[in-house]
Amino acid sequence: MLSFARRHGAGYLFIVPFFALFLVFQLFPILWTFYISTQEWSGLGEPESVGLKNFRLLLTDPQFWDATANTLIYWVCGLVFILPLAMGISLLLNKRDLHGLRTFKTLTFLPYVCATVAIGLIFNIMFDTQQGLVNEVLGLVGLDQVGWLTTTTWSKVPVIVLNVWRHTPWFALILLGGLLNIPRDYYEAAKVDGAGAARTFWHITLPSLRPVLMFCMIMITVESWNIFAEPFIMRGPGTSNVSLFQYMYESSFRLFKYGYGAAIGVALTLILALVSIIQLFLMRKDADA
């Protein structure tokens, strides 16, 4: 035992901080959330055990289902818009002969480093019904004003636009890293064989980027189901654009229904786990094919 400690003690000592932080800030909160989800607690006094009552309430809560549907839409829109835009930007950044490449890189990554709250306030002004820039542009082309944040029909659109605008640069950076790792020999061989840009992209770039694209899909899934700041700042009428994460926060810290908020958190965790497992299964199946 002593000889084992002398031989490996230093190594284990180096990883102790990680496991200590993991236990305190990750594992304990997760276990506490599962425990509180079976309690009724306002934050004061002793929690009262209610079994699965909070989960039964979730099933009949229309606001929970609205928030789930909204988050699902944010997720799908994230996959549909962020990945193609990020791919297009990364392809442009990968062109070494592009004029003004440094300026373009700076402008591309600017949205990701801006504070979400500040940008959300600016987007609030832009999508204002009466004096917003977006409605002014629509008026110039002869279209009617749209109640972007005052109608249940359109209130999700500004949130989606802000979410796509903020996260596209980050995924463009990840895809650019993948593009830089593709050997130039592949492209030179394709050029010698007379392959055009479209065929080169389809038969070389896309297959080479497949692991990176799957990673981006999983990250977009996690980011989309955890979306909070965008709908919180750009609030629409009722629960028309409330996300599931936001509904969990408001149930816990505004209504002081910690047990119910924890139940929403558990449901969100299970949904994310299910979606991630399906994506990993598809990724493994695709890799084996």
Side-chain angles (χ1 to χ4, degrees), residues 245-257:
F245 198 91
Q246 181 186 355
Y247 187 50
M248 177 185 70
Y249 167 82
E250 292 180 349
S251 298
S252 300
F253 299 107
R254 283 192 171 175
L255 302 177
F256 300 104
K257 296 159 61 177

Side-chain angles (χ1 to χ4, degrees), residues 108-278:
T108 298
F109 298 120
L110 191 61
Y112 192 73
V113 298
C114 292
T116 309
V117 175
I119 298 301
L121 293 174
I122 294 173
F123 269 65
N124 256 326
I125 297 171
M126 287 174 58
F127 282 96
D128 184 78
T129 305
Q130 300 298 329
Q131 300 173 340
L133 175 65
V134 178
N135 274 344
E136 288 292 330
V137 174
L138 291 178
L140 290 176
V141 295
L143 297 176
D144 294 332
Q145 290 186 338
V146 176
W148 295 108
L149 292 171
T150 55
T151 60
T152 56
T153 306
W154 297 101
S155 60
K156 283 185 276 297
V157 174
V159 176
I160 293 169
V161 172
L162 177 56
N163 186 42
V164 171
W165 184 79
R166 276 198 68 244
H167 287 99
T168 297
W170 170 244
F171 290 101
L173 183 64
I174 295 174
L175 290 173
L176 178 61
L179 286 172
L180 293 174
N181 281 327
I182 300 175
R184 289 282 165 187
D185 297 347
Y186 293 177
Y187 293 105
E188 290 171 6
K191 193 175 180 180
V192 170
D193 291 340
R199 289 188 65 187
T200 303
F201 175 76
W202 188 256
H203 292 289
I204 295 178
T205 305
L206 267 187
S208 302
L209 281 180
R210 190 172 295 161
V212 183
L213 286 170
M214 291 304 296
F215 171 77
C216 289
M217 286 177 65
I218 292 174
M219 291 305 298
I220 289 174
T221 300
V222 174
E223 295 280 352
S224 299
W225 282 93
N226 286 329
I227 187 171
F228 173 77
E230 290 86 348
F232 186 77
I233 299 167
M234 307 175 72
R235 180 121 199 190
T239 56
S240 59
N241 66 354
V242 170
S243 69
L244 199 54
F245 198 91
Q246 181 186 355
Y247 187 50
M248 177 185 70
Y249 167 82
E250 292 180 349
S251 298
S252 300
F253 299 107
R254 283 192 171 175
L255 302 177
F256 300 104
K257 296 159 61 177
Y258 288 100
Y260 192 66
I264 298 172
V266 171
L268 180 59
T269 303
L270 294 177
I271 292 171
L272 257 178
L274 179 64
V275 173
S276 299
I277 288 171
I278 292 173

Side-chain angles (χ1 to χ4, degrees), residues 1-9:
M1 186 69 184
L2 284 175
S3 62
F4 179 83
R6 286 196 200 95
R7 200 182 315 162
H8 303 289

